[in-house]
């Protein structure tokens, strides 16, 4: 658990810290002395930071996987303790133990300190021999690791499987509840489907690995042949494979969270605010049109009173009043002029400056007069 906690703490601050160092070093190498560097917040600066940050996260992910594998190999296993292959038979196990016992028996130690060390090592060899020569315990050890030595009063393969699944159950139950809660409060939204899919695949692979009487084909057909052929890595046992799968899945989920800010779909800059502004302008125009229509009716009613019966005069007066209202009420409105300027800019017709700028200039000119 402490290793998982340290890994999470490292993921929390190391990528951002290293990204800042690498970006400063990159600018120090690629930009000559005296030349301006990209300012924080500029498009070029953000592009460089995005690429460096992604590279740092990927490299740290690979390092975390290597570290997990190194810790697994450092702990060792009973086969390595006896220096035997994983497919060794019972006869060779007993023969190997007798040979090692004659070399490392505590009675052959000279000093008291050597005697204590030799006794500890001899007990470890004896546990390895007793476990691997018992078919049931060997089955359980290959799948659940040295923890089975603490499981008392278990005699059958079924007993070991049930206890092992009970040990793994809280991990999956707690993890799925935690992921659902984070999704409900708005976290881990990007890649949510893939997280659940990977988590389900991990649970299925672990269940198959722990319960089958044979080793998983992922180990025997793919992973172990690749490791032993390409590298000097010893074959992985099923419990080591499961432990690595847990650590890789956890670090991969954390890396996905770190990368979500770069790959999650975003709204184009200014689009939401621009659409909100356009909608406000449309509402303003609609209200202005309704008000203008009411004012037009009132003005026409007053102006047309002396011309009752003169249709030509009425038509001429209606046209003049309509033009006056359009010029002095609609076109002079700042929101209308601003909307007209935006529309003409989009059509590339040489739009006049926005209304806000013109209104400010006109007010300044009137003030001077």
């Amino acid at each position: 658990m402490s290793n998982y906690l340290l890994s999470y703490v490292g993921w929390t601050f190391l990528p951002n810290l290293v990204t800042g160092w690498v970006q400063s070093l990159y600018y120090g190498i690629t930009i000559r002395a005296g030349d301006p560097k990209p300012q924080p917040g500029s498009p070029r600066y953000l592009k460089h930071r995005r690429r460096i940050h992604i590279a740092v996260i990927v490299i740290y992910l690979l390092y975390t996987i290597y570290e997990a594998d190194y810790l697994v190999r450092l702990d060792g296993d009973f086969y390595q303790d006896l220096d035997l292959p994983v497919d060794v038979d019972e006869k060779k196990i007993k023969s190997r133990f007798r040979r090692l016992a004659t070399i490392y028996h505590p009675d052959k130690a000279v000093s008291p300190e050597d005697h204590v060390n030799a006794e500890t090592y001899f007990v470890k060899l004896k546990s390895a021999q007793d476990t691997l020569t018992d078919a049931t315990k060997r089955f359980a050890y290959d799948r659940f690791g040295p923890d089975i030595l603490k499981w008392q009063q278990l005699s059958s393969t079924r007993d070991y499987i049930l206890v092992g699944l009970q040990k793994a159950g809280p991990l999956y139950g707690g993890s799925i509840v935690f992921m659902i809660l984070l999704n409900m409060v708005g976290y881990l939204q990007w890649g949510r489907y893939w997280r659940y899919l990977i988590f389900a695949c991990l649970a299925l692979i672990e269940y198959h690995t722990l319960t089958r009487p044979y080793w998983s084909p992922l180990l025997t057909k793919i992973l172990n042949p690749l490791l032993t052929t390409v590298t000097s890595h010893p074959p992985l046992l099923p419990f080591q494979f499961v432990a690595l799968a847990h650590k890789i899945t956890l670090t991969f989920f954390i890396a996905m969270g770190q990368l979500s800010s770069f790959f999650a779909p975003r709204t184009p800059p200014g689009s939401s605010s621009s659409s909100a502004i356009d909608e406000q302008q449309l509402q303003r125009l609609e209200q202005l049109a309704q008000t203008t229509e009411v004012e037009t009716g009132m003005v026409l009613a007053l102006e047309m009173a002396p011309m009752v019966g003169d249709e030509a005069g009425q038509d001429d007066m209606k046209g003049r009043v309509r033009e006056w209202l359009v010029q002095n009420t609609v076109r002079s409105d700042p929101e209308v002029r601003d909307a007209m300027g935006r529309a003409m800019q989009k059509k590339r017709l040489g739009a006049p400056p926005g209304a806000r700028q013109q209104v400010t200039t006109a007010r300044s000119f009137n003030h001077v007069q």
Side-chain angles (χ1 to χ4, degrees):
M1 183 61 67
S2 60
N3 290 332
Y4 287 102
L5 182 61
L6 290 176
S7 177
Y8 180 77
V9 172
W11 276 104
T12 302
F13 70 92
L14 275 181
N16 289 326
L17 184 64
V18 175
T19 298
W21 291 344
V22 173
Q23 190 168 11
S24 300
L25 181 62
Y26 172 75
Y27 287 155
I29 295 175
T30 59
I31 298 179
R32 295 180 299 180
D35 292 343
K37 297 181 179 179
Q39 294 298 317
S42 63
R44 185 183 175 192
Y45 180 90
L46 295 177
K47 181 179 71 173
H48 291 163
R49 186 168 188 85
R50 177 177 180 269
R51 293 178 177 178
I52 294 173
H53 195 63
I54 292 174
V56 168
I57 290 175
V58 172
I59 293 174
Y60 190 56
L61 175 63
L62 297 176
Y63 167 75
T64 306
I65 295 174
Y66 169 79
E67 180 188 28
D69 177 68
Y70 173 77
L71 292 176
V72 167
R73 286 185 289 141
L74 188 63
D75 291 338
D77 56 73
F78 286 165
Y79 295 95
Q80 294 183 36
D81 293 339
L82 297 175
D83 195 17
L84 293 171
V86 294
D87 56 351
V88 64
D89 58 21
E90 181 179 348
K91 182 179 179 179
K92 291 183 179 179
I93 294 174
K94 292 181 177 180
S95 174
R96 183 64 178 174
F97 172 74
R98 286 194 297 267
R99 182 180 178 185
L100 293 175
T102 59
I103 300 175
Y104 298 104
H105 197 279
D107 294 341
K108 295 188 176 183
V110 178
S111 63
E113 183 178 355
D114 292 340
H115 180 82
V116 173
N117 294 334
E119 185 176 1
T120 302
Y121 188 64
F122 183 81
V123 170
K124 187 176 182 180
L125 294 177
K126 186 68 168 60
S127 298
Q129 190 262 162
D130 292 342
T131 301
L132 298 183
T133 53
D134 186 311
T136 301
K137 290 184 178 180
R138 183 173 180 176
F139 173 92
Y141 175 79
D142 289 347
R143 288 152 181 80
F144 304 107
D147 290 341
I148 67 161
L149 300 179
K150 303 175 185 177
W151 302 350
Q152 302 297 326
Q153 299 179 350
L154 301 180
S155 57
S156 66
T157 301
R158 182 176 180 273
D159 294 338
Y160 281 104
I161 291 177
L162 290 177
V163 173
L165 293 178
Q166 290 175 4
K167 299 288 185 181
L171 171 65
Y172 284 95
S175 299
I176 195 68
V177 171
F178 183 68
M179 290 171 60
I180 292 175
L181 291 177
L182 287 179
N183 287 327
M184 291 176 62
V185 298
Y187 292 97
L188 302 180
Q189 294 296 320
W190 181 76
R192 177 174 54 184
Y193 167 78
W194 294 107
R195 282 189 178 91
Y196 287 119
L197 179 61
I198 293 172
F199 198 73
C201 291
L202 175 65
L204 182 61
I205 291 173
E206 182 170 354
Y207 178 80
H208 180 271
T209 302
L210 299 182
T211 58
R212 297 301 93 186
Y214 49 84
W215 285 21
S216 171
L218 288 174
L219 279 176
T220 58
K221 302 295 184 182
I222 300 176
L223 191 56
N224 280 340
L226 181 64
L227 291 175
T228 55
T229 303
V230 178
T231 68
S232 59
H233 195 293
L236 288 172
L237 299 178
F239 80 88
Q240 296 172 331
F241 169 68
V242 171
L244 279 177
H246 286 172
K247 187 61 179 293
I248 292 173
T249 302
L250 174 64
T251 54
F252 183 73
F253 283 173
I254 297 175
M256 286 181 65
Q258 295 274 346
L259 294 173
S260 62
S261 59
F262 300 114
F263 294 104
R266 314 182 200 179
T267 304
S271 62
S272 59
S273 59
S274 177
S275 61
I277 292 174
D278 291 341
E279 185 176 354
Q280 291 176 0
Q281 289 178 343
L282 289 176
Q283 293 176 356
R284 169 66 176 164
L285 287 175
E286 184 179 0
Q287 294 175 359
L288 184 61
Q290 294 175 356
T291 304
T292 303
E293 183 178 358
V294 175
E295 291 180 356
T296 302
M298 295 174 60
V299 172
L300 283 176
L302 292 174
E303 295 294 334
M304 298 299 294
M307 299 182 181
V308 177
D310 187 0
E311 295 182 0
Q314 289 180 2
D315 293 339
D316 181 69
M317 180 60 67
K318 288 180 181 179
R320 291 177 181 272
V321 171
R322 185 181 298 108
E323 181 67 22
W324 180 84
L325 287 173
V326 170
Q327 291 289 344
N328 292 275
T329 304
V330 178
R331 293 184 180 177
S332 62
D333 188 89
E335 298 288 341
V336 176
R337 296 188 64 85
D338 193 44
M340 291 174 60
R342 288 175 177 270
M344 295 181 68
Q345 285 179 358
K346 291 180 180 179
K347 294 181 180 180
R348 299 181 179 178
L349 296 178
R356 300 184 187 279
Q357 183 177 358
Q358 291 189 0
V359 170
T360 304
T361 306
R363 288 179 179 175
S364 301
F365 180 75
N366 293 335
H367 180 72
V368 173
Q369 286 183 340

